[in-house]
Amino acid sequence: MSNSTPDVASSTDRLATAARLRNLGTRLLSLAAIQSDRLVNEELARAGARKWHYAVLATLDEFGPASQAELSRRTGIYRSDMVTVINELADRGLVERSPNPADRRQNIIAVTKQGHRQILNLDKLLTEVENKVLAPLTPSEREQLARLLAALVDHHGQNM
């Protein structure tokens, strides 16, 4: 097979795929996720970012300053990994830490003006990636897909 993912056939190989594989929803969902994830990671890397950077910046931008523990809960990033993410973002001037006045042992993380500009740039970039990934779908099909995927994620208790 020509693609970098071993389980992904080119369109010319599709006819050789067993029908039970071609029609297995969980397999199709996995293959689509692999392709989408690869494109998202590649484009974020070109912008000097990672998915976790985007998740933290988007969360802070939408909900305002938060503790690392709260960011971990809201984003689904493990607390131990959150420290690394916050350090990377702080080193780039995208977030700032300040002591929590109610508990000096805890830091409050806030997005900076530069971080706000970065999240807007990443929003545009991810919209472009989404348009590539979802190119064969009509706007109504895209909305339907988003609703169906959200239902699956909600059912299985994943943090969106």
Side-chain angles (χ1 to χ4, degrees), residues 17-29:
T17 303
R20 64 174 44 131
L21 292 176
R22 263 195 332 268
N23 298 317
L24 188 59
T26 52
R27 179 175 181 270
L28 294 170
L29 184 61

Side-chain angles (χ1 to χ4, degrees), residues 108-137:
I108 297 296
I109 312 303
V111 68
T112 63
K113 287 181 183 179
Q114 185 177 342
H116 180 72
R117 284 191 299 273
Q118 175 73 342
I119 193 66
L120 294 177
N121 290 334
L122 295 178
D123 281 341
K124 289 177 189 172
L125 179 145
L126 291 174
T127 296
E128 291 171 10
V129 171
E130 187 164 293
N131 285 334
K132 286 179 192 175
V133 170
L134 302 178
L137 303 179

Side-chain angles (χ1 to χ4, degrees), residues 92-111:
R92 295 175 186 177
L94 303 176
V95 299
E96 57 189 8
R97 291 183 181 100
S98 58
N100 183 346
D103 182 354
R104 302 298 253 172
R105 298 168 296 170
Q106 185 182 65
N107 283 320
I108 297 296
I109 312 303
V111 68

Side-chain angles (χ1 to χ4, degrees), residues 1 31 46 75 82 92 120 133 136:
M1 287 181 232
L31 293 175
R46 284 190 187 117
T75 61
M82 183 60 72
R92 295 175 186 177
L120 294 177
V133 170

Side-chain angles (χ1 to χ4, degrees), residues 7-139:
D7 201 23
V8 178
S10 70
S11 59
T12 57
D13 294 336
R14 193 172 299 136
L15 295 176
T17 303
R20 64 174 44 131
L21 292 176
R22 263 195 332 268
N23 298 317
L24 188 59
T26 52
R27 179 175 181 270
L28 294 170
L29 184 61
S30 294
L31 293 175
I34 289 168
Q35 292 293 339
S36 175
D37 199 50
R38 181 182 56 79
L39 290 172
V40 166
N41 287 328
E42 286 173 0
E43 292 303 316
L44 286 173
R46 284 190 187 117
R50 297 185 300 130
K51 288 186 290 188
W52 286 357
H53 295 160
Y54 180 78
V56 168
L57 290 172
T59 300
L60 290 171
D61 196 54
E62 185 168 333
F63 295 105
S67 69
Q68 289 179 193
E70 184 178 348
L71 284 171
S72 179
R73 283 189 300 276
R74 287 187 181 270
T75 61
I77 300 171
Y78 291 115
R79 286 183 185 199
S80 58
D81 294 327
M82 183 60 72
V83 173
T84 302
V85 174
I86 297 300
N87 287 342
E88 291 170 354
L89 293 171
D91 289 347
R92 295 175 186 177
L94 303 176
V95 299
E96 57 189 8
R97 291 183 181 100
S98 58
N100 183 346
D103 182 354
R104 302 298 253 172
R105 298 168 296 170
Q106 185 182 65
N107 283 320
I108 297 296
I109 312 303
V111 68
T112 63
K113 287 181 183 179
Q114 185 177 342
H116 180 72
R117 284 191 299 273
Q118 175 73 342
I119 193 66
L120 294 177
N121 290 334
L122 295 178
D123 281 341
K124 289 177 189 172
L125 179 145
L126 291 174
T127 296
E128 291 171 10
V129 171
E130 187 164 293
N131 285 334
K132 286 179 192 175
V133 170
L134 302 178
L137 303 179
T138 66

